[in-house]
Structures are given as C-alpha cells and as structure tokens.
C-alpha cells in the first residue's frame, strides 16, 4: 500500500510541475519529416511564442523554418495570379482557376531548399496537448538548376529552370517562391519533449530560363502545390 501511495504522489507531483511550466514566453525547436506520393520534406524550425490570456492557453509567436523538398516526376503549373485567376489582390483566394491560362512544367527530380521567417498561432487544450498553425512569411530559396519539359496542350519543349529565390506570403496565388504552412498537434511526453503530427501545405516554385509560356501573356514562373502528412519531435528550450 505504501508503495502505491508513493507512486501516486510522484505522478501528481509530475503533473503539477507540468502545469506550472506554462509561462508567458515559450521557446522550442523541432525537426520533422513529411511525405506524399513521390515527394517529401525534411524541416527544422525554431519558435519564440507568447502564451496569452489568464490561463495562457492562446499562443502567438514568430520563428524561422528551413525546408528541404524532394520529389520525383512532379508537375508544376503556371504561378502568377493574374494568369491563374485573372486578377491580383485578396479576392483571388475565392476565385476559380482559369484552366485555359494554365500550362505545365514537368520536373523529373525537383529539389528545393527554403529558409523562411514564420508566424505561429495555437491553443493549449491541456497541459500535454497543443494544436497550432504555422505559415512561412518571407525568406529565400536555393538549389540546383534543372531540366524540365514545358507542356502546352499536345506540344512540349525541353527547358532549363532555376529555383525562384525570393519568397513572400502575399495571399494564395499572389504568393511568390517556396513557402511552407503546417497544421499540427504536439503531445507532451515530458515537460521539454513533445511528439508532433500534422499536415503540410507547401508551395515550391521554379523560374524557367525564358518566357516559355506566351499566351495569354509571357510567363516564366511555375508552381507546385503539395499536401503532405508529417511527424516529428520538438524540444522546449
């Protein structure tokens, strides 16, 4: 009986320590993998969060994320919003794509590296369960040039392309470059170590050597939108 009482006290003490550990500020690092058909990512990120409210359940923060994307036989489509939606501005989020304006660029082995500043929001449902959403805001992408196939209807032509270097969050197809966003959940194993699961929505982008698309206007930017399932581990600093 004494043995079980001591065990119960230790568990209660651990739970109290976990509850008291949620402070006004929170820093952590994480690493993760995400996969989909013929593609995947590896990410490393750091977060600096502010826990808000009387119970400090709401989280808002900033951070930085490095994303390495790998794929095989991936189709990139016309990127600029003025072509895909016929306009620019916030309204493109609610507009259907104009299929007649969209051409394709096939990349056999895409590999894109992006380093971006991010925005992070979330909510502590309990001392162990946290659900968050992070989105890249601005940064830089790099990687090797590739040979791809530009496809327009029944015609195609080989073309060289490089990774679009400047990344900027500008709402939907107004975005430029390679940007990662993630809806995720953390489960606390200890006060410092958390396991993570979630989904990534990733834009990667190539710029062709010339304006291979000529109608309805010249274009050299092509984007891949990827939805991936991911998992990882986070460590509270």
């Amino acid at each position: 009986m004494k043995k079980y009482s001591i065990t119960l006290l230790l568990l209660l003490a651990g739970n109290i320590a976990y509850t008291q550990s949620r402070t006004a500020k929170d820093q952590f690092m994480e690493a993760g993998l995400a996969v989909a058909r013929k593609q995947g990512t590896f990410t490393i990120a750091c977060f600096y969060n502010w826990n808000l409210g009387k119970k400090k359940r709401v989280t808002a923060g900033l951070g930085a994320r490095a994303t390495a994307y790998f794929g095989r036989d991936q189709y990139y489509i016309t990127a600029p919003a003025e072509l895909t939606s016929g306009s620019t501005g916030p309204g493109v989020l609610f507009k259907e794509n104009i299929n007649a304006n969209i051409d394709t660029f096939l990349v056999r082995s895409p590999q894109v590296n992006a380093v971006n500043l991010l925005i992070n929001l979330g909510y502590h449902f309990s001392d162990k369960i946290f659900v968050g959403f992070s989105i890249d805001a601005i940064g830089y992408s790099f990687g090797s040039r590739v040979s791809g196939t530009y496809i327009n209807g029944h015609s195609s032509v080989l073309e060289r392309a490089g990774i679009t270097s400047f990344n900027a969050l500008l709402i939907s197809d107004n975005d430029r470059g390679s940007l990662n966003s993630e809806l995720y959940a953390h489960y606390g194993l200890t006060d410092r170590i958390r396991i993570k699961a979630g989904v990534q929505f990733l834009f990667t982008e190539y710029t062709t050597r010339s304006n291979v698309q000529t109608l309805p206007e010249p274009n050299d930017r092509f984007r891949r939108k990827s939805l991936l399932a991911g998992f990882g581990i986070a460590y509270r600093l």
Side-chain angles (χ1 to χ4, degrees):
M1 184 68 179
K2 182 177 179 181
K3 178 181 177 181
Y4 292 120
S5 298
I6 292 172
T7 302
L8 180 60
L9 287 171
L10 288 172
L11 289 172
L12 287 172
N15 187 59
I16 291 170
Y18 203 107
T19 302
Q20 293 175 341
S21 68
R22 196 186 306 150
T23 58
K25 297 178 182 179
D26 189 22
Q27 295 173 266
F28 66 93
M29 296 189 67
E30 66 175 35
L33 296 170
V35 294
R37 187 174 183 270
K38 293 186 179 181
Q39 55 189 321
T41 65
F42 173 70
T43 57
I44 298 176
C46 59
F47 297 81
Y48 190 98
N49 293 325
W50 291 267
N51 295 317
L52 310 173
K54 184 177 180 180
K55 295 184 178 181
K56 296 181 172 59
R57 289 186 178 275
V58 177
T59 290
L62 301 171
R65 172 164 46 214
T67 301
Y69 169 81
F70 303 86
R72 183 71 179 171
D73 295 331
Q74 296 298 316
Y75 290 88
Y76 286 69
I77 64 171
T78 300
E82 56 266 30
L83 295 178
T84 62
S85 303
S87 64
T88 59
V92 301
L93 188 62
F94 308 103
K95 290 191 173 183
E96 295 290 334
N97 282 342
I98 304 172
N99 292 327
N101 292 352
I102 297 176
D103 290 344
T104 303
F105 186 63
L106 171 61
V107 183
R108 294 297 181 186
S109 299
Q111 202 282 298
V112 179
N113 307 295
V115 179
N116 291 303
L117 299 178
L118 62 81
I119 300 165
N120 187 54
L121 301 171
Y123 186 82
H124 295 270
F125 284 91
S126 70
D127 295 326
K128 290 190 175 185
I129 299 175
F130 174 79
V131 174
F133 174 74
S134 65
I135 187 166
D136 291 348
I138 191 169
Y140 180 78
S141 293
F142 59 95
S144 300
R145 296 184 68 84
V146 297
S147 292
T149 305
Y150 167 69
I151 304 168
N152 178 6
H154 297 291
S155 64
S156 63
V157 62
L158 294 178
E159 176 66 13
R160 295 281 289 172
I163 294 165
T164 305
S165 58
F166 178 63
N167 310 324
L169 180 67
L170 300 170
I171 302 178
S172 189
D173 282 357
N174 288 305
D175 292 348
R176 187 177 183 90
S178 298
L179 299 162
N180 199 353
S181 61
E182 187 173 39
L183 178 65
Y184 65 93
H186 281 175
Y187 180 80
L189 298 177
T190 70
D191 188 36
R192 291 192 178 275
I193 299 175
R194 312 171 186 177
I195 55 174
K196 182 186 95 169
V199 291
Q200 287 182 8
F201 187 51
L202 174 69
F203 283 11
T204 52
E205 187 177 300
Y206 279 95
T207 300
T208 54
R209 183 174 50 183
S210 61
N211 290 320
V212 288
Q213 181 174 357
T214 57
L215 295 173
E217 62 182 67
N219 172 56
D220 61 357
R221 292 173 47 221
F222 296 85
R223 175 183 294 131
R224 172 71 186 173
K225 301 177 182 180
S226 302
L227 183 65
L228 308 101
F231 60 92
I233 188 165
Y235 182 79
R236 183 181 174 193
L237 302 174

